[in-house]
Amino acid sequence: ISFHVHVFLSVEEENPEFWRSKAKQTLQSVLDRKLNTNVAKNVILFLGDGMGITTYTAARILKGQLQDQTGEETVMTMDTFPHVGLAKTYSVDFQIPDSAATATAYLCGVKTNLNTIGVSAATRNGVCRSQKGNEVTSILKWAKDAGKSVGIVTTTRVQHATPAAAYAHSASRSWYSDADLPDAAKTDNCTDIASQLIENIDIDVIIGGGRKYMTPRGTKDPEYSLDLSSWGTRRDGRNLIQEWQSMKTGKVAHYVWNKTDFDAVDPEATDYLMALFEPGDLRYEMERDPSTDPSIVETTEKAIRILQKNPRGFFLLVEGGRIDQAHHAGRAYMALHEAVAFDNAIAKGLELTKEDETLTVVTADHSHPLTFNGFPFRGQSILGKSPLWGTDFLPYTTLMYGNGPGHKIINGKRPDIRNVTTNDKNYVQLSAVPVDSTTHSGEDVAVLARGPMAHLFSGVQEQNYIAHAMGYAACVGADLRHCNGGPIPTVNPSNRSVAVQTSSALLLGLLLALTVIM
């Protein structure tokens, strides 16, 4: 077995003083750290969908390697956050969650069931009538009610699970437009997520994809006029984009769907912005046309510049949503490049805000069954192959999946990848179990914070704690003890026990959930 590896070992790393000196500097910086106990004027939550610890680590290495470094020692923007904790991601009904249940937890402060958005666990997956009276509100609403400006930036459709939990209440995350509502839901007066986007909360900035859920059936897409799947889907005849514009009479409100018009929007002279760049989700970063679609860095910057004009501050949710979707497809190349772009957006957010008044939190909703394995040499491509081979005398990649579309056994053997370029953007990593779409995984996710009250995010906590800690830091929501002279609310602990659901109900929930791409 022969292989060729470039190892970029620096001579200074062979000297123990190199490591002692670095540790001493780090220790002193931690000792010198002062707790920031200010009230957070602004809160930015950066959510890497599906960005588990393995993805985080692998993206760090890729980011360095893209800059011609070995990569392992690279310092990501996320790495500079001084306060770090872990969040437990399980949902009320499942050991491993989806993006709807998790988003409800970290945005609304309440854990719930798989596939449900902005509702408590008393709501049954897909059962409209069960959500009535069980709606829960998000920190985006708490911030808006406190007079702050609020915004959503995502690389998915703006009606997708993560952004939807900020403004919608739905027994099913898949009810994007009224065309997706089952007859029973219509009979019981449930409304679709797209209509709730413009009706529930007065959101100042909305950036992402999802045009087709906003316009009537048969409405041609301005960008893909010949693609029927890109046309409007609504059956009720409503044009929600036009309705949104008419609701903003007397304000400067821009709707844009392309980069030229987006770039022309002057943040200083803009009250509201709705930017929908695709009929559905945005393109992957590595397939994005920079002349027609802005990057997550550009959309994050535009949102902050519009929102920060409010003297009372703002709340902004920024989602790197396609990290998750690339993992579902077993495409580690795409997932890691999405994560690097996400880290660059975090850097832009820090550049545009002041740390003494802005709480910045970075986390993931859940992980994926991505493994980082073998014994690759220092500096070896994170998307490459281990120098070790299996006992079947075949090589394997450093990154692999526990399950996914990459499962390939031919004549009882794994495929021979000796002549395969595994760091190609279309390469699908080998997986142990064949499934069409990689499932999520259930380990804890990292929570990183800096700015006012960032120390609240240390330790191992339930995921729903995140919303309460952000609300406390910013003096929004129910707990106003951190405000200057604010009232101290009384707490009425509930002694209601959570009913144990029957195995048949769990099975039904699983079957319903598996019809949705998480």
Side-chain angles (χ1 to χ4, degrees):
I1 301 171
S2 63
F3 47 83
H4 182 66
V5 179
H6 292 288
V7 181
F8 307 94
L9 292 176
S10 72
V11 175
E12 63 181 356
E13 290 186 5
E14 296 181 359
N15 184 345
E17 279 308 312
F18 170 80
W19 300 105
R20 291 172 184 144
S21 175
K22 281 181 74 76
K24 188 176 180 181
Q25 291 171 8
T26 303
L27 176 61
Q28 195 57 50
S29 69
V30 174
L31 290 170
D32 293 342
R33 191 179 292 159
K34 300 284 192 295
L35 292 186
N36 181 341
T37 57
N38 294 348
V39 172
K41 176 183 177 183
N42 314 309
V43 178
I44 306 178
L45 174 60
F46 284 96
L47 191 286
D49 199 308
M51 190 184 71
I53 297 287
T54 308
T55 303
Y56 180 176
T57 305
R60 174 193 298 128
I61 294 173
L62 176 65
K63 186 166 187 174
Q65 292 181 344
L66 291 172
Q67 299 165 354
D68 294 324
Q69 300 166 359
T70 47
E72 296 85 359
E73 72 295 330
T74 300
V75 178
M76 295 246 280
T77 301
M78 287 183 269
D79 296 342
T80 66
F81 283 51
H83 299 281
V84 184
L86 294 173
K88 297 187 269 188
T89 65
Y90 68 90
S91 63
V92 169
D93 54 348
F94 281 88
Q95 201 170 66
I96 294 177
D98 76 325
S99 296
T102 52
T104 303
Y106 61 75
L107 288 171
C108 304
V110 175
K111 285 214 174 198
T112 191
N113 296 324
L114 211 71
N115 206 44
T116 63
I117 286 171
V119 291
S120 74
T123 301
R124 296 293 170 260
N125 179 6
V127 181
C128 166
R129 65 179 181 274
S130 70
Q131 79 180 51
K132 303 298 181 180
N134 294 317
E135 297 88 352
V136 292
T137 57
S138 77
I139 186 170
L140 183 134
K141 178 166 175 35
W142 309 343
K144 189 69 183 185
D145 288 347
K148 296 182 185 294
S149 294
V150 296
I152 291 167
V153 171
T154 181
T155 53
T156 66
R157 67 207 93 160
V158 295
Q159 305 86 356
H160 210 251
T162 300
Y167 60 82
H169 313 286
S170 181
S172 174
R173 59 177 286 177
S174 62
W175 294 347
Y176 298 120
S177 82
D178 68 315
D180 301 311
L181 288 171
D183 290 340
K186 293 177 182 176
T187 301
D188 290 334
N189 297 316
C190 276
T191 56
D192 62 278
I193 294 167
S195 65
Q196 293 186 58
L197 172 64
I198 69 167
E199 293 171 351
N200 288 4
I201 305 171
D202 185 27
I203 305 173
D204 303 88
V205 174
I206 301 166
I207 303 177
R211 290 193 294 255
K212 66 181 179 181
Y213 306 113
M214 307 292 282
T215 56
R217 206 173 170 194
T219 304
K220 290 185 178 181
D221 186 81
E223 194 171 3
Y224 311 103
S225 60
L226 300 180
D227 179 12
L228 294 177
S229 66
S230 297
W231 290 12
T233 65
R234 300 197 67 80
R235 294 175 182 270
D236 57 10
R238 294 175 67 185
N239 186 316
L240 300 182
I241 295 168
Q242 291 179 359
E243 287 187 28
W244 177 84
Q245 290 172 311
S246 66
M247 292 163 69
K248 308 305 177 191
T249 305
K251 299 287 186 178
V252 180
H254 297 290
Y255 167 71
V256 300
W257 59 267
N258 61 70
K259 189 173 188 296
T260 301
D261 291 344
F262 177 76
D263 288 345
V265 172
D266 177 8
E268 294 301 317
T270 300
D271 299 314
Y272 293 93
L273 173 64
M274 180 187 284
L276 304 178
F277 298 109
E278 290 290 331
D281 301 320
L282 304 191
R283 296 180 182 277
Y284 285 120
E285 176 63 21
M286 299 309 291
E287 295 176 341
R288 179 177 62 85
D289 182 345
S291 67
T292 59
D293 297 305
S295 67
I296 188 174
V297 175
E298 294 171 290
T299 53
T300 298
E301 175 170 8
K302 186 79 77 173
I304 292 173
R305 290 195 184 281
I306 292 172
L307 298 174
Q308 67 186 4
K309 299 196 305 293
N310 187 336
R312 292 190 178 183
F314 65 86
F315 171 82
L316 174 63
L317 169 66
V318 179
E319 183 199 19
R322 301 219 69 191
I323 302 169
D324 171 75
Q325 293 175 341
H327 278 318
H328 279 301
R331 299 170 70 184
Y333 178 104
M334 286 300 192
L336 298 191
H337 279 84
E338 290 294 305
V340 170
F342 178 66
D343 192 62
N344 292 337
I346 296 168
K348 178 58 70 174
L350 296 181
E351 174 192 322
L352 294 171
T353 56
K354 297 174 182 174
E355 185 152 351
D356 65 339
E357 65 179 20
T358 303
L359 170 64
T360 305
V361 179
V362 179
T363 189
D365 49 355
H366 56 74
S367 186
H368 272 268
L370 179 71
T371 62
F372 183 2
N373 70 152
F375 283 97
F377 291 100
R378 174 78 178 275
Q380 202 171 322
S381 171
I382 188 64
L383 295 164
K385 304 161 193 171
S386 170
L388 299 181
W389 288 20
T391 55
D392 54 2
F393 300 105
L394 291 172
Y396 57 91
T397 52
T398 299
L399 298 176
M400 300 168 70
Y401 288 93
N403 61 45
H407 179 85
K408 294 180 180 69
I409 300 293
I410 302 166
N411 296 326
K413 282 200 158 191
R414 296 188 295 120
D416 186 346
I417 59 172
R418 278 178 293 182
N419 298 317
V420 175
T421 304
T422 60
N423 57 3
D424 181 85
K425 72 183 180 74
N426 294 313
Y427 180 72
V428 176
Q429 267 75 12
L430 191 69
S431 75
V433 176
V435 293
D436 292 336
S437 176
T438 299
T439 69
H440 298 160
S441 64
E443 72 270 21
D444 298 351
V445 294
V447 185
L448 309 105
R450 61 191 297 169
M453 305 305 289
H455 54 283
L456 295 179
F457 297 87
S458 301
V460 181
Q461 314 292 355
E462 292 285 1
Q463 191 170 38
N464 68 297
Y465 167 77
I466 296 171
H468 296 279
M470 290 190 297
Y472 179 88
C475 276
V476 300
D479 191 343
L480 304 177
R481 286 176 294 165
H482 190 46
C483 305
N484 293 327
I488 300 177
T490 56
V491 179
N492 296 313
S494 171
N495 58 7
R496 289 179 301 169
S497 61
V498 177
V500 178
Q501 297 184 16
T502 64
S503 59
S504 59
L506 283 171
L507 182 59
L508 176 62
L510 177 59
L511 290 172
L512 285 167
L514 290 178
T515 64
V516 180
I517 294 178
M518 292 186 238

